[in-house]
Amino acid sequence: MLIFGTRPEAIKMAPIIKAIYKDDRFESVVVITGQHREMLDQVLSDFKIVPDYDLNLMKTSQTLSSITTGVISNLDNILKNDEPDIVLVHGDTATTFAASISAFYHQIPIGHVEAGLRTWNKYSPFPEEMNRQLTDTLADIYFAPTTQSKDNLLLENHAEENIYVTGNTAIDALRYTVQRDYNHAVLSNVDKNHRLILLTMHRRENQDGGLKDVFQSVKHVVQEYDDVEVVFPVHLSPVVQNIAHEVFDNVDKVHLLPPLNTIDFQNLAAKSYFIMTDSGGVQEEAPSLGKPVLVLRDTTERPEGVAAGTLKLVGTHADNVTEGMKLLLDDVDTYQKMAQAKNPYGDGNASEKILDAIHHYFE
Ligand code: UD1
Ligand code: UDP
């Protein structure tokens, strides 16, 4: 039983579901919590996945407690009636943690996809760092994307025989989405001779000041450079929507869009000059696409991308963000180095490795 609820979980669970459809050893039950609605449905539609259960929980401006308690109480009957052999959860969201504790209450083994990511900072990213740590405490089998995430799990004394290094299923997903002859309406509104920056930003810890500071910096740089445009598909969180529109409405060269379908977003990323983001998943995809990323956070649980040279942490202070943008725009050597880094997140076959690991675990 695969349980997930938000856009990034769906994108990274989708290749596993597709792999199960082709594998006689397994049957899948897909449960979506509906922590997200439109943004989750976009992914299900792109990957043609029809869930078996939909808890349909999302509320406008929902709280962490309301999502967590909603998931736990609504999963009870499903877990009791379906009695899956294993529950798979992904990553670090409220859905991930709540589904894990529900499975534990029913004494069902838990497989954690994308296990072992750590900043070791309880409040950064908040609440994701603790969601991961708590999920790993409850899990029975760990699918670590890299050896570094495996090492983090070993540091916490998880048994080595239950940890499998698989790569990240984000890279598997790119195999379904990135197309050579892709086009999108927004591209016809961007001057072909201009450099396109793709921006996304939504994290809770950035909502109290960080978002606004970054957006102001982006606005000033875009106004200073004649040949730069920004495409920003804005997360549906009301806080993010309000700040984005407050700063960018009437700025000609910043294109605000609704959240994009995965296929659209990942192909647009492939066409961008560079990316600015506080997203986790985008940090994993960019090295595969050869795109430098300015990470709009003070910490990252994706140090492999920093070591590879694709990711640069710039935080959210205006001066640092502006300096990071100008360096990439002005210094060709820095740009080339970041664009040519090697993807550290696997070969695009993580889903098959995860299924083999589950088979091995039960044997
Ligand atoms: C959640 C995850 C975060 C992940 C992000 C991916 C937690 C605690 N946070 O944060 O780890 O990075 O998803 O995007 O689990 N909304 C809609 N429609 C949608 C989705 C969201 O309107 O399809 C609005 C709703 O008003 C909702 C708000 O966004 O209340 C916030 O959604 P929520 O899932 O609570 O937080 P995210 O910031 O999306
Ligand atoms: N993404 C998308 N449409 C968008 C923005 C992002 O499909 O408009 C994809 C992106 O390719 C990545 C994932 O969503 O796979 C990242 O999700 P998000 O930033 O919401 O969450 P995080 O990864 O930070 O948890």
Side-chain angles (χ1 to χ4, degrees):
M1 180 178 284
L2 301 98
I3 309 178
F4 52 93
T6 66
R7 169 172 69 190
E9 295 165 79
I11 293 170
K12 295 192 238 179
M13 286 294 222
I16 304 177
I17 298 169
K18 294 287 191 194
I20 292 176
Y21 290 164
K22 289 193 242 155
D23 190 329
D24 290 342
R25 296 174 297 179
F26 302 97
E27 276 178 44
S28 62
V29 179
V30 174
V31 180
I32 57 169
T33 64
Q35 176 178 335
H36 283 176
R37 192 67 274 167
E38 303 89 328
M39 289 162 55
L40 174 64
D41 293 342
Q42 285 179 311
V43 184
L44 298 175
S45 148
D46 269 3
F47 286 89
K48 301 186 175 49
I49 291 168
V50 181
D52 299 283
Y53 298 97
D54 181 352
L55 308 184
N56 201 16
L57 289 174
M58 198 197 82
K59 303 259 182 312
T60 304
S61 304
Q62 61 206 357
T63 64
L64 297 174
S65 307
S66 72
I67 315 165
T68 305
T69 51
V71 171
I72 294 173
S73 56
N74 282 278
L75 277 180
D76 247 351
N77 273 339
I78 297 175
L79 292 170
K80 191 164 145 212
N81 294 335
D82 277 58
E83 295 182 339
D85 294 309
I86 184 166
V87 159
L88 295 187
V89 294
H90 176 277
D92 55 20
T93 70
T95 288
T96 316
F97 165 61
S100 304
I101 196 133
S102 298
F104 166 67
Y105 289 156
H106 290 267
Q107 299 188 31
I108 299 167
I110 301 161
H112 189 195
V113 181
E114 203 179 277
L117 275 64
R118 295 287 184 273
T119 62
W120 311 110
N121 180 337
K122 192 171 174 181
Y123 293 107
S124 177
F126 172 82
E128 289 81 7
E129 174 67 10
M130 288 314 290
N131 284 341
R132 293 181 195 124
Q133 292 195 24
L134 294 165
T135 301
D136 282 333
T137 299
L138 293 165
D140 300 275
I141 170 166
Y142 303 89
F143 309 109
T146 65
T147 49
Q148 196 157 347
S149 37
K150 175 179 175 175
D151 289 344
N152 291 337
L153 292 164
L154 291 175
L155 274 178
E156 292 173 356
N157 291 325
H158 297 293
E160 185 161 14
E161 70 260 30
N162 296 331
I163 306 172
Y164 297 84
V165 177
T166 59
N168 197 306
T169 56
I171 310 304
D172 304 19
L174 290 174
R175 286 194 321 206
Y176 291 91
T177 57
V178 177
Q179 304 157 0
R180 204 177 270 277
D181 53 354
Y182 170 86
N183 213 342
H184 185 274
V186 74
L187 289 171
S188 49
N189 297 329
V190 175
D191 189 318
K192 285 197 174 44
N193 300 314
H194 287 180
R195 291 179 287 181
L196 174 68
I197 300 174
L198 182 61
L199 170 67
T200 81
M201 204 170 168
H202 69 276
R203 303 224 82 80
R204 278 174 195 258
E205 71 269 19
N206 283 338
Q207 292 181 0
D208 203 12
L211 287 167
K212 196 160 189 176
D213 288 351
V214 170
F215 295 170
Q216 295 283 10
S217 307
V218 170
K219 178 175 160 180
H220 292 140
V221 171
V222 167
Q223 286 171 337
E224 191 179 327
Y225 286 73
D226 288 339
D227 71 331
V228 170
E229 296 191 45
V230 172
V231 172
F232 179 10
V234 189
H235 190 289
L236 291 178
S237 155
V239 181
V240 184
Q241 286 280 335
N242 288 342
I243 303 173
H245 284 284
E246 184 190 324
V247 178
F248 290 127
D249 274 353
N250 308 319
V251 181
D252 274 354
K253 290 188 296 153
V254 177
H255 307 269
L256 296 189
L257 300 178
L260 292 168
N261 284 353
T262 314
I263 294 176
D264 287 331
F265 181 83
Q266 296 185 344
N267 281 284
L268 216 52
K271 297 242 182 253
S272 68
Y273 189 63
F274 67 81
I275 299 172
M276 300 177 67
T277 192
D278 66 358
S279 157
V282 177
Q283 293 178 58
E284 291 149 356
E285 292 154 3
S288 260
L289 301 171
K291 301 298 168 185
V293 180
L294 298 180
V295 181
L296 306 165
R297 297 170 45 182
D298 297 324
T299 58
T300 181
E301 56 292 298
R302 273 100 179 165
E304 301 89 347
V306 177
T310 313
L311 311 181
K312 184 172 178 200
L313 280 182
V314 292
T316 56
H317 290 293
D319 290 349
N320 297 342
V321 175
T322 305
E323 190 189 325
M325 291 179 76
K326 289 189 170 181
L327 189 64
L328 274 179
L329 290 169
D330 295 338
D331 184 345
V332 179
D333 281 351
T334 303
Y335 180 88
Q336 289 300 346
K337 269 193 205 124
M338 287 180 76
Q340 283 163 10
K342 192 171 170 292
N343 151 44
Y345 295 111
D347 56 8
N349 295 305
S351 307
E352 288 75 15
K353 289 179 190 155
I354 287 169
L355 296 188
D356 287 346
I358 296 172
H359 184 69
H360 180 249
Y361 174 83
F362 279 104
E363 289 224 303

